[in-house]
Amino acid sequence: QVQLVESGGGLVQAGGSARLSCAASGRTRSGYVLGWFRQAPGKEREFVAGISWSGSSTSYADSVKGRFTISRDNAKNTVYLQMNSLQPEDTAVYYCAADWNFMYNIHRNRQAYDYWGQGTQVTVSS
């Protein structure tokens, strides 16, 4: 079993920044893709960013390109999401997820991911 635990959420003023972390524990292994999703009230959970095992490939939703940066530290089994220029529409619960079946290909669909964190709330005030 693999557990993912997010941290770093909170209240941020519009235009500000935040950094989310997600640490994997349990029976972890090498060679998996990590991603971030978010879900606002009344909306579907949507893909935000993903990163390959080596970190050489990343993918971003159009809404966050140029503002968010995903990275990972495999020695720590941790993925990060640096969020800059935050806007009220970024307010959501943010989830990290692991795709255990791919090490390079980054999928944007929720069904591709095998393990999920509990989520962390990010609220951006105007």
Side-chain angles (χ1 to χ4, degrees):
Q1 186 66 28
V2 175
Q3 295 81 43
L4 301 175
V5 180
E6 303 97 334
S7 61
L11 179 63
V12 184
Q13 189 175 5
S17 299
R19 190 193 195 207
L20 305 183
S21 299
C22 173
S25 61
R27 56 179 185 90
T28 57
R29 61 164 175 83
S30 61
Y32 58 94
V33 164
L34 287 168
W36 287 95
F37 291 76
R38 68 185 182 186
Q39 187 167 22
K43 298 182 67 177
E44 298 280 350
R45 189 173 300 185
E46 64 178 358
F47 175 83
V48 176
I51 186 167
S52 64
W53 167 253
S54 68
S56 62
S57 180
T58 58
S59 181
Y60 297 93
D62 289 341
S63 59
V64 306
K65 284 182 179 178
R67 300 189 298 120
F68 290 12
T69 302
I70 188 171
S71 61
R72 66 191 294 168
D73 184 344
N74 289 337
K76 298 180 179 179
N77 287 319
T78 299
V79 62
Y80 306 94
L81 185 66
Q82 178 66 45
M83 305 184 294
N84 298 326
S85 301
L86 284 164
Q87 304 167 192
E89 52 263 40
D90 295 315
T91 295
V93 176
Y94 283 72
Y95 300 87
C96 66
D99 182 347
W100 229 238
N101 301 118
F102 288 88
M103 64 179 177
Y104 184 82
N105 302 72
I106 302 169
H107 296 99
R108 294 184 170 219
N109 55 304
R110 299 187 303 272
Q111 292 75 19
Y113 292 82
D114 303 286
Y115 300 101
W116 292 83
Q118 82 289 344
T120 185
Q121 176 71 44
V122 175
T123 302
V124 184
S125 63
S126 59

